[in-house]
Amino acid sequence: MTDPTADTADNADSADTADTVAAWRRLAGASVLLDGFHALKHAVRFGAEVPVAVTTDLRAALALADELAPDVRETLAGLLTEVPEQVYRSVVPRPHPTAVAALAVRPSRAAGLATLAHVPRTAPVVVLDHPRNLGNAGAVIRLAAGFGATGVVTIGPLDPWHPTVVRGGAGLHFATAVERLTADELPAGPLFALDPEGDDIRGVKLPDDAVLAFGSERSGLSAELRARTDHLLSLPMRPQVSSYNLATSVAMTLYHWSATGYGPQISS
């Protein structure tokens, strides 16, 4: 004889799964994919609106929350729906090892532009001039969020909200303003661009309202941005070393800003 209570529970689980998948497919095209536990954790922590979230193992996901994000554990418990692995794989193109994924509402462009334009600024804006590598762009956004930068602007065709960029940024797009602009639309403020021909950054104090520009991984600064630059700066580098990774260059520059009398106090 079958257990009617178990049948009822199974039917309820199936209905929950069906509703979740339907909501996912309805929202996916216009939403930000949060790929993995850490992306969801950070997005929730910084106020993202998350209409749907899934996991193949709710107990394991909440155990991660207990260990790594107790501040948002209860929120995650209310958001996550446990679904079979095949369902999870059907909605997530590149399954994450934590088997957690969610969709979030992208912040409005108007809000992002307002944040970037607000003066006086208390932290720089990072500009990526025609970046090519999605993962590097994500790493830069993660760095900018960690240092409390006002925002990250990309110039060129790369979409800073591409799922691979969001994955590389661990969901920290929601902790800083992230927008794509043209060189003519950059926020006000003195423009410092990193270039091997520039002055040694160690002799310069970067102001809080600085706009910090970094050229592409392959071709450096565009002629258009170079023409707008107020100050060219270079990072210390051993002779015969060609260059630093883009995210490394941004990290060194933001650390220099934070350590030379400006910027917030970053706890270790």
Side-chain angles (χ1 to χ4, degrees):
M1 180 181 293
T2 60
D3 181 348
T5 303
D7 287 344
T8 300
D10 289 343
N11 290 337
D13 290 344
S14 296
D16 286 346
T17 297
D19 289 346
T20 298
V21 171
W24 188 288
R25 291 181 172 152
R26 184 178 71 252
L27 297 168
S31 299
V32 178
L33 175 62
L34 301 174
D35 198 4
F37 173 83
H38 298 290
L40 176 58
K41 168 194 74 178
H42 281 137
V44 168
R45 187 174 281 163
F46 288 98
E49 180 184 346
V50 180
V52 59
V54 298
T55 179
T56 63
D57 189 336
L58 182 58
R59 181 176 296 180
L62 294 182
L64 272 179
D66 286 333
E67 179 183 359
L68 302 174
D71 56 312
V72 295
R73 195 264 188 204
E74 292 309 311
T75 301
L76 296 180
L79 286 174
L80 285 163
T81 298
E82 186 171 282
V83 298
E85 184 172 353
Q86 66 269 26
V87 171
Y88 167 74
R89 290 181 173 274
S90 75
V91 297
V92 180
R94 186 176 156 202
H96 193 274
T98 58
V100 170
L103 296 177
V105 177
R106 178 171 171 170
S108 75
R109 181 170 172 83
L113 294 177
T115 297
L116 293 169
H118 180 78
V119 290
R121 278 200 306 274
T122 58
V125 172
V126 174
V127 177
L128 303 183
D129 184 15
H130 290 82
R132 296 172 178 266
N133 186 283
L134 296 167
N136 276 346
V140 167
I141 291 166
R142 189 170 186 173
L143 281 163
F147 275 98
T150 295
V152 176
V153 169
T154 63
I155 299 172
L158 182 143
D159 177 9
W161 287 87
H162 186 282
T164 302
V165 182
V166 178
R167 183 174 180 139
L172 283 163
H173 285 59
F174 293 90
T176 189
V178 178
E179 295 294 340
R180 178 166 51 178
L181 303 175
T182 67
D184 291 336
E185 295 171 327
L186 292 180
L191 179 57
F192 295 81
L194 277 291
D195 185 89
E197 298 176 1
D199 297 326
D200 191 320
I201 195 172
R202 290 172 292 184
V204 176
K205 284 190 174 183
L206 296 171
D208 291 347
D209 65 345
V211 178
L212 306 175
F214 301 82
S216 76
E217 297 90 334
R218 183 172 301 175
S219 55
L221 293 169
S222 65
E224 182 181 18
L225 193 62
R226 184 184 287 269
R228 296 174 58 87
T229 296
D230 298 307
H231 309 276
L232 284 178
L233 300 177
S234 63
L235 295 168
M237 186 182 299
R238 180 180 177 180
Q240 298 184 310
V241 175
S242 300
S243 64
Y244 293 121
N245 171 275
L246 175 61
T248 301
S249 298
V250 174
M252 294 173 70
T253 304
L254 287 176
Y255 180 79
H256 177 76
W257 161 70
S258 72
T260 53
Y262 295 91
Q265 296 298 310
I266 305 295
S267 59
S268 59

